[in-house]
Amino acid sequence: ERCAPDSPRERPREAAPPGPAHSLWSLEDILSEEDERDRVPLQKLKLLGESEELRDLLLNPHLRQLLLTIDQAQDKSSLMRKFMQEPLFVEFADCCLRIVEPPEKENILPE
């Protein structure tokens, strides 16, 4: 046990990243202009939690499993490319985008 590489006694301690309250860096210090352009404001993210349509989609166990798989994956970008071929995942992504970036009214044809 003493020589085992994963023994807690033998591994060097990893410093936990400081929480937001203790951080010397702000998001503005870390994000470039390009990153900032892709950032969704917290106000709009909160709208996701209020969406009945999104809540209904998240009741699907298959979608929940897809999301857990992405969350736990090491290579998230290649897995995302694969899952973007799954109709259920595309439906989820489209729903999220409609909530945080509603379609412009000028692009909607009058009835």
Side-chain angles (χ1 to χ4, degrees):
E1 178 185 330
R2 186 161 185 243
C3 295
D6 286 343
S7 170
R9 288 186 228 145
E10 299 298 320
R11 275 188 274 151
R13 288 184 153 205
E14 293 180 22
H22 301 97
S23 177
L24 299 175
W25 298 90
S26 69
L27 279 177
E28 289 75 25
D29 295 328
I30 298 169
L31 296 175
S32 68
E33 267 186 48
E34 188 173 313
D35 293 330
E36 188 68 29
R37 186 179 47 192
D38 291 335
R39 193 169 143 205
V40 177
L42 185 58
Q43 233 177 339
K44 287 191 173 192
L45 287 177
K46 287 181 180 181
L47 295 174
L48 294 171
E50 299 167 6
S51 169
E52 286 294 323
E53 180 185 6
L54 184 57
R55 234 176 266 167
D56 290 343
L57 279 174
L58 290 170
L59 291 175
N60 184 313
H62 182 60
L63 176 60
R64 293 171 70 105
Q65 186 57 52
L66 290 175
L67 295 173
L68 281 172
T69 302
I70 291 171
D71 185 52
Q72 297 168 352
Q74 293 292 325
D75 186 9
K76 293 179 188 336
S77 62
S78 68
L79 196 55
M80 286 286 289
R81 280 191 292 277
K82 176 184 171 193
F83 284 174
M84 286 305 286
Q85 305 303 312
E86 291 268 346
L88 180 59
F89 187 80
V90 172
E91 183 181 359
F92 165 75
D94 287 346
C95 179
C96 291
L97 287 173
R98 280 192 308 274
I99 295 166
V100 298
E101 279 187 12
E104 302 266 339
K105 291 188 188 270
E106 63 192 41
N107 292 339
I108 299 174
L109 296 174
E111 292 182 13

